[in-house]
Amino acid sequence: MQGLRWRVWRTLGRSRVRDMTKDRRPSSSDELLRRAKQGVAGSPPVAVPESEQAAVPDDEPPPELVGSDVERLSTPAGRSPVRLGRRSPVPGVEGPQGERSTRSRVVVAVLLVAVIVGVVVALVAPGSDSPETASITAESVTEVPDAVSPTEVGSVGTLTTALDRGRLRCGIDGRSVGFSLTQPDGEVDGFDADFCRAVAAAVFGDANAVEFVPLAAVDRFEAVASGDVDVLFRTTTWTLLRDGQLRMDFGPTTFYDGQQLMGRRSFPLDERSTVADIDGAVVCAVPGTASEQNIAEAASAAGVSVRFEPVQPGTDALEKFQRGACDVMTGDGAGLVGNKAVNDPGDEWVIFPQTPLSREPLGPVYRSDDSLWGDIVSWVVFSTIIAESKGISSTNMTLPPGDSEAARLMGLEGSLAADLGLEGDAFAQVIRQVGNYGEIYERNLAPLGLIRSSTLNDLAENGGLLYAPPIR
């Protein structure tokens, strides 16, 4: 009996049984799509794949063929229902005769089902005036809207604004040696400035289509939030407070930095010195900042005492250090290296400790309500890292043989850059006009003495932290 019920269910198909019940349960969207694509009229019975058949045990009746649905499906007027969910013995008859009688009733029920199937198919055939036909035609079902585009959710605001303007507005420091330093002729050099150019190359196909906007530290986040700049590359540390409370979003880290100290060899100090060696020193620091707090905590942990000389943000600390008003100044390691390179030709100044006092991941900043623009900025950075990893540079645009990811990076396969609203060769323009990450680093930071090999700023395959998601 169970095997017969299983064969009935398998032949008719679950969806057919649902559609033929008296209260006409609505089909799922998947069933509508299937029927629309196959064509409703004259479509063959639904075949249950072998994998699905195996998933339904023979000794467990399909739920669609038990209970009141089956009663409505197979009971003519004036007759008792035939219940396929359990045996219906003939009164007073035991054993095989009862089973044969029951099976006869099942056969009658199956014939009635076949008649109903024919009626339903006729009703939904093409050309029928039934209003239900229009609701399940191929055209009406397959016109399912795609996922909401970025334009519809307003996430392309910055890209649209920049394209309409014709140039990128990029926030920088303008006084940071090695990162963004404005020259007397107005040209801006540096690591951060080159990443501004990289974004311009991707968006406009022209690395020079960028307007550099020098910003003080206190003004940088407001400039981003107000839209005064499209993106900020200004030696800015990614922190939880800035990410959450200030509603800024950060792109990939372009430089892993940390707070260090700079003093004089005559103190005496050298490259191997630690905080324990500055006992009694006067330290220039901006009052109430994390930098001042880090030094105070490190000195306390080392059992030494220091005195702080208050300075204003900007060049005040360097000027007082040069005058001898303080023995030690502090800052991000890369910034101290830049100041030393420009102002200490005699190599009297020394930067320490070797292990920084803090973690300072520096990278691009953009508004948190513009996800597509954030993706563009992020993938510009990633493209420079991937290119270096694959040996692709501004002087060697040759792709590794058979490397499909490199082909996608250069826009030779797929349309991934176009999916971001950019030209297909956007990332190729970044590498061709500005260079890969290694080129940008060597051009701007290596001359200052910032060694990259095997540091955090090296590629992951070389022991560093630079790593990009795959382009696929």
Side-chain angles (χ1 to χ4, degrees), residues 105-313:
R105 295 186 180 185
V106 172
V107 171
V108 173
V110 171
L111 292 176
L112 289 173
V113 168
V115 173
I116 297 174
V117 169
V119 173
V120 172
V121 170
L123 288 175
V124 298
S128 169
D129 293 332
S130 170
E132 292 186 32
T133 304
S135 66
I136 54 175
T137 59
E139 291 183 357
S140 63
V141 174
T142 55
E143 290 180 359
V144 178
D146 296 331
V148 178
S149 68
T151 303
E152 291 173 322
V153 298
S155 59
V156 294
T158 304
L159 176 60
T160 300
T161 299
L163 290 173
D164 290 345
R165 187 193 305 122
R167 65 187 185 282
L168 179 78
R169 284 180 60 85
C170 192
I172 59 169
D173 184 309
R175 301 170 300 173
S176 180
V177 178
F179 285 86
S180 59
L181 185 64
T182 304
Q183 303 298 327
D185 61 359
E187 185 72 14
V188 181
D189 298 331
F191 184 84
D192 284 346
D194 274 354
F195 272 106
C196 292
R197 295 185 175 98
V199 175
V203 173
F204 302 100
D206 181 4
N208 293 318
V210 55
E211 177 184 352
F212 294 104
V213 182
L215 295 169
V218 296
D219 300 326
R220 52 186 165 173
F221 298 121
E222 175 58 30
V224 175
S226 67
D228 186 45
V229 297
D230 304 319
V231 63
L232 183 70
F233 280 95
R234 192 197 177 284
T235 55
T236 301
T237 302
W238 186 352
T239 70
L240 175 59
L241 182 146
R242 292 168 176 175
D243 212 351
Q245 184 175 327
L246 297 184
R247 308 301 295 172
M248 296 288 111
D249 271 355
F250 289 76
T253 297
T254 54
F255 189 86
Y256 290 93
D257 208 349
Q259 181 185 351
Q260 291 181 286
L261 307 174
M262 185 163 67
R264 294 179 174 81
R265 297 186 186 278
S266 57
F267 185 77
L269 296 166
D270 59 34
E271 288 80 4
R272 296 181 298 275
S273 295
T274 66
V275 175
D277 298 315
I278 62 172
D279 189 24
V282 177
V283 181
C284 284
V286 179
T289 61
S291 297
E292 182 186 53
Q293 181 180 355
N294 290 340
I295 297 173
E297 291 176 353
S300 176
V304 299
S305 62
V306 298
R307 182 171 65 85
F308 289 100
E309 173 68 20
V311 297
Q312 298 299 316

